[in-house]
Amino acid sequence: MQITMTVNGAEVTRQVEDRMLLVHFLRDVLGLTGTHWGCDTSNCGTCVVWLDGEPVKSCTVLAAMAGGHEVRTVEGLADGAELDPVQKGFMQCHGLQCGFCTPGMMMTARALLDRNPDPTEQEIREAISGQICRCTGYATIVRSVRWAAVNS
Amino acid sequence: MTTTAHRVEPENNDHKPLGHGRMLRKEDPRFVRGRGRYVDDVQLPGMLHLAILRSPVAHARIVSIDVTAAQASPGVRAVVTGEALGEQGLAWMPTLSGDVQAVLATDKVRFQGQEVAFVVADDRYAARDALELIDVEYDMLDPVIDARTALAPEAPVIRDDLDGKSDNHCFDWETGDAEATERVFAAADVVVSQDIVYPRVHPAPMETCGAVADFDPVEGKLRLWSTTQAPHAHRTLYAMVAGLPEHKIQVISPDIGGGFGNKVPIYPGYVCAIVGSIVTGKPVKWMEDRSENLISTGFARDYVMRGEIAATRDGKILAIRTNVLADHGAFNGTAAPVKYPAGFFGVFTGSYDLQAAYCKMTAVYTNKAPGGVAYACSFRITEAVYLVERIVDCLAYRLEMDPAQLRLKNLLRPEQFPYTTRTGWVYDSGNYEPTMRLAMEIAGYEELRREQAEKRERGELMGIGIAFFTEAVGAGPRKDMDILGLGMADGCELRVHPTGKAVVRLSVQTQGQGHETTFAQIVAEEIGIPPDDIDVLHGDTDNTPFGLGTYGSRSTPVSGAAAALVARKVRDKARIIASGMLEVSVADLEWRKGAFHVKGDPGRSVTIQDVAMRAHGAGDLPDGIEGGLEAQICYNPSNLTYPHGAYICVVDVDPGTAQVKVRRFIAVDDCGTRINPMIIEGQVHGGLTDGVGMALMEMIAFDPDGNCLGASLMDYLIPTALEVPDWETGFTVTPSPHHPIGAKGVGESATVGSPPAIVNAVVDALKPFGVSHADMPLTPSRVWDAMRGAARPPI
């Protein structure tokens, strides 16, 4: 089937199989490989992108379901050359190591801060609780999001 | 020996050190933009996709495989079975332990999830479709699931592929002095014995294993992008398996989404991708899904141990003895140095001065996936430290002594180093008491004990657990340590460009540990070129020096030493060139970071950048000096490094639900010289989270038919941000005397040290119930059972 959606502000139209997952559409069809695929049971959250401003696990959305909607990925997080405060916060506070969970974590963090510009540590932990990180032990991710809140 | 103690507070990371110190990571700018390049990001023209058909059962003969329908499926380019591979001599491959492992099953399947056939198709969806169309007829055999029954006379023989094999015995191993240990035990006031299980768990890196193989028949060259922690060792193994010469194999390990030991072994999927590319003449990508990763790739632990400790009545520890049953799965795929089939389990004597020690181990085959050494174990030190720290707590329980005081009474003293253990390990350095005291100070230990006493009065369950560990990392001296004949040395190459920028090439391979940053810092510290001017390359076997890769926390001990020494080698040459430039003798030069100064004439100096330009440029060089400014070395460590740490965990247990909450965790680590404190802190945080997972949540279990019960993230539970506390860390500094910059490894310390601290805390919380031991994972149901006096082993 043919689908049209807006990805990071640009309209894209492609022919896809009905069953194609959004994560594979973004990665394999559009070449936006910042979004990752870490599990097959929708637990890990490495594939989190925005669908009409809401963080979703793109492994659990069909590409066809995103047709007519607006998708934002990690590649669309920076405003041109200027990094989002969340991206700066992850670098400043060592909120990433291997970098595999990072795009999903940052998309969730940005969505949190858009709704709650001054979240507590517990609110941050709850916001990212649908996402697994194997490297950081989360404390520096929490600090990264706090840094972004303070420096926004 | 001087040891200084520090408590870590979050700091501003903004400044740029000219060498060691807190420094932001050079890796991050690409990762935060989604511009990392991991294996599944690799797209090549004409690339096909490979999917693997896996066994649904644990043990069965293969009667027949019908691939007719799969071959006719749309988009399918090839379907390959074990029989077809066998005709090329590729159905079996060597493991890192010198055993063999089936690439695709030929005669029978030996674990659920084992590779049976593969499909190459135009895209990943078509490849998966075709798997459904392969018809395999199995003749079921009884499986061996419980290691404790594997050697029973009636147990079915799993490895009937091995000549004359009539049982499931894998190997025996022992260390220490059995008779001397027996004598000490016989004379001891107190002997405590405890059965202790370290259950099977899985490293589960967020990125699973995968590869892109691209065989060019014209060049006769194979390029392989793969998730490997040891690209050079893999290249050599592929040469041995596939018969391709090494100079025609280029292994590229790009950005790796975490390894944790999972990406050390060679998996059948890699070999299938290579075969798939050779068969189709196209690049072929294989990327496993999470279930495949959990069910078929290298597990960790699975040691069933009996620990025994002998002591005097007043708490002087005299001897430790242990008997271990090791479950290695269907093929012995353990990644360990050849002479160490049980890894470095011999360090089970821990941080204590014993009169005697002895271990006897038997390893067996079972119908489970191969593995054993993974998940930050430092070659079985997780198991060794868990055993000793748990059994010391059992002794404290028996003697009714405070576990902190018992440890303080028995810790090795600084004047005993270098210390040779009763099992022959030579600990390089250690000053243990200040480390322990600092952890107790950060924790407010005495206050915690008072709080606990008050809570016990009220019926609340609070536990305080301690672990003091000594690690052994940095394998290792080539006279003793090799993997399949490859000595465990590591290379490093440094080239300084004409304008004073530099490139360092490593034989090790980061999977998130920050090597691109810290190796630039090591070189910067030695040669005075700012870290930002130094690029660190790794993971490409055509363009990096040979070495054994990153695991066992060996990067800093081995490759880090190589980086420091190669920088000194370049600096020595630079000094001669500088002497020519300044027209003084070498002895008249003084090195201050970044420049050579004429002694007594501070106005006359040349920077390392000036020297680099002279080395490449116009003007004569001193006699006998070649142009250019570069060097390469291969470092053979004289010993391992032995970092240590003191960990204290505070838990609350809900008496109604038996849910354990880790309220605080204090970790004080000593890894000698600290190259980048920010990165060490992150390594420690990650390892502590592993510990929470293993102690409380994670387990790869099996039902009696051999069905894997932990084969997805629905069942294999990994801590999220809600299950872990904000970590409290501190450090002491006791340098390694034999390491060029005094640095020890540290990456695995927290994974090694934290599980016993957490379990000790939970058992401490359950003391009012008379509980003296409970096995991991301490899930609510298992804690509930323990509270009711019905604790059971997890397998």
Side-chain angles (χ1 to χ4, degrees), chain A residues 19 21 24 27-28 33 38-40 43-44 87 91-92 94 96-99 106 125 134-139, chain B residues 13-14 25 32 38 40-41 124-125 129 203-204 290-291 375 511-512 682-683 685-686 689 718-719 721 724 727:
Chain A
R19 61 176 172 168
L21 299 173
H24 289 141
R27 291 180 49 79
D28 294 353
T33 55
C39 78
D40 44 20
N43 296 89
C44 82
Q87 290 169 304
M91 296 202 294
Q92 284 295 325
H94 191 33
L96 68 153
Q97 293 179 31
C98 81
M106 293 191 307
R125 286 180 181 271
R134 292 297 269 158
C135 296
T136 66
Y138 303 105
Chain B
N13 296 320
D14 259 339
R25 295 204 324 163
V32 300
Y38 304 87
D40 199 23
D41 303 343
R124 55 178 106 219
Y125 286 65
D129 283 346
R290 172 60 55 197
S291 302
Y375 209 170
Q511 314 120 48
Q683 293 280 288
H685 287 186
T689 308
I718 293 170
V724 296
W727 312 105

Side-chain angles (χ1 to χ4, degrees), chain B residues 18 122 181 622 691:
Chain B
L18 190 69
D122 289 343
T181 306

Side-chain angles (χ1 to χ4, degrees), chain B residues 22-94:
Chain B
R22 279 184 108 84
M23 173 182 157
L24 297 187
R25 295 204 324 163
K26 291 156 71 87
E27 291 91 338
D28 292 354
R30 67 177 186 273
F31 290 148
V32 300
R33 288 171 172 86
R35 292 173 68 101
R37 199 190 200 203
Y38 304 87
V39 168
D40 199 23
D41 303 343
V42 174
Q43 296 272 16
L44 299 179
M47 188 177 75
L48 305 174
H49 292 260
L50 184 146
I52 293 174
L53 181 74
R54 295 178 180 278
S55 171
V57 296
H59 201 191
R61 288 210 177 281
I62 295 175
V63 179
S64 64
I65 305 181
D66 183 351
V67 299
T68 322
Q71 275 169 334
S73 184
V76 169
R77 305 293 187 102
V79 184
V80 175
T81 63
E83 196 180 339
L85 278 188
E87 287 163 11
Q88 310 297 319
L90 294 173
W92 295 80
M93 63 180 188

Side-chain angles (χ1 to χ4, degrees), chain B residues 310-632:
Chain B
T312 63
R313 206 166 286 105
D314 60 353
K316 173 76 188 117
I317 300 170
L318 303 173
I320 296 177
R321 183 165 63 186
T322 181
N323 202 302
V324 179
L325 179 63
D327 184 339
H328 279 239
F331 308 103
N332 188 13
T334 311
V338 169
K339 290 181 194 163
Y340 299 85
F344 303 162
F345 187 78
V347 301
F348 68 88
T349 58
S351 313
Y352 312 107
D353 184 15
L354 307 179
Q355 293 179 5
Y358 177 66
C359 168
K360 168 115 180 61
M361 177 180 298
T362 299
V364 296
Y365 291 115
T366 60
N367 287 112
K368 302 177 190 172
V373 167
Y375 209 170
C377 75
S378 310
F379 300 115
R380 301 291 191 183
I381 295 178
T382 32
E383 291 91 324
V385 164
Y386 185 64
L387 176 89
V388 59
E389 288 306 291
R390 196 71 271 291
I391 196 75
V392 164
D393 252 40
C394 290
L395 177 65
Y397 185 92
R398 168 75 66 83
L399 294 174
E400 296 179 359
M401 269 185 79
D402 180 282
Q405 294 306 324
L406 178 61
R407 285 178 174 82
L408 283 168
K409 188 184 177 83
N410 285 284
L411 289 175
L412 289 165
R413 298 180 308 280
E415 64 272 18
Q416 290 177 283
F417 292 87
Y419 172 79
T420 304
T421 74
R422 295 292 170 182
T423 49
W425 297 80
V426 182
Y427 293 179
D428 57 349
S429 64
N431 193 0
Y432 292 173
E433 188 174 331
T435 313
M436 184 72 176
R437 296 280 182 202
L438 177 60
M440 293 171 73
E441 181 197 317
I442 296 174
Y445 186 74
E446 300 308 325
E447 178 56 34
L448 282 173
R449 286 290 176 201
R450 276 195 291 277
E451 179 192 348
Q452 180 185 41
E454 289 166 20
K455 285 190 165 162
R456 276 191 181 151
E457 291 288 314
R458 300 197 294 267
E460 291 172 42
L461 303 178
M462 169 184 165
I464 305 158
I466 299 168
F468 194 102
F469 64 89
T470 301
E471 259 266 44
V473 297
R478 61 187 299 154
K479 68 181 166 49
D480 296 323
M481 295 180 188
D482 67 274
I483 288 188
L484 286 184
L486 303 173
M488 299 188 79
D490 272 284
C492 189
E493 184 193 300
L494 170 62
R495 286 189 201 170
V496 183
H497 301 314
T499 57
K501 316 296 180 190
V503 58
V504 189
R505 292 183 164 85
L506 311 178
S507 60
V508 291
Q509 170 62 31
T510 186
Q511 314 120 48
Q513 301 94 328
H515 293 170
E516 290 171 32
T517 304
T518 52
F519 278 78
Q521 292 185 268
I522 293 171
V523 171
E525 177 82 20
E526 300 298 332
I527 205 165
I529 295 173
D532 279 347
D533 287 351
I534 302 171
D535 247 14
V536 177
L537 301 185
H538 52 86
D540 177 345
T541 56
D542 271 8
N543 294 300
T544 55
F546 182 86
L548 274 242
T550 296
Y551 41 84
S553 300
R554 62 188 298 283
S555 291
T556 295
V558 191
S559 202
L565 293 177
V566 81
R568 288 175 195 175
K569 199 168 167 181
V570 170
R571 195 177 72 198
D572 287 346
K573 178 176 175 180
R575 180 187 295 271
I576 298 171
I577 296 173
S579 76
M581 293 168 76
L582 293 165
E583 296 178 326
V584 296
S585 79
V586 164
D588 289 333
L589 288 178
E590 193 174 41
W591 169 256
R592 272 179 258 136
K593 205 181 271 185
F596 296 98
H597 301 260
V598 177
K599 283 181 191 165
D601 189 354
R604 294 180 66 209
S605 67
V606 289
T607 66
I608 188 72
Q609 289 83 0
D610 297 335
V611 174
M613 184 54 84
R614 172 63 71 105
H616 291 89
D620 231 356
L621 296 174
D623 283 351
I625 296 297
E626 291 177 14
L629 193 57
E630 58 191 69
Q632 177 171 355

Side-chain angles (χ1 to χ4, degrees), chain B residues 88-90 235-246 248-249:
Chain B
Q88 310 297 319
L90 294 173
R235 181 184 59 181
T236 303
L237 244 77
Y238 291 128
M240 290 159 67
V241 174
L244 290 168
E246 277 170 305
K248 294 291 185 185
I249 303 175

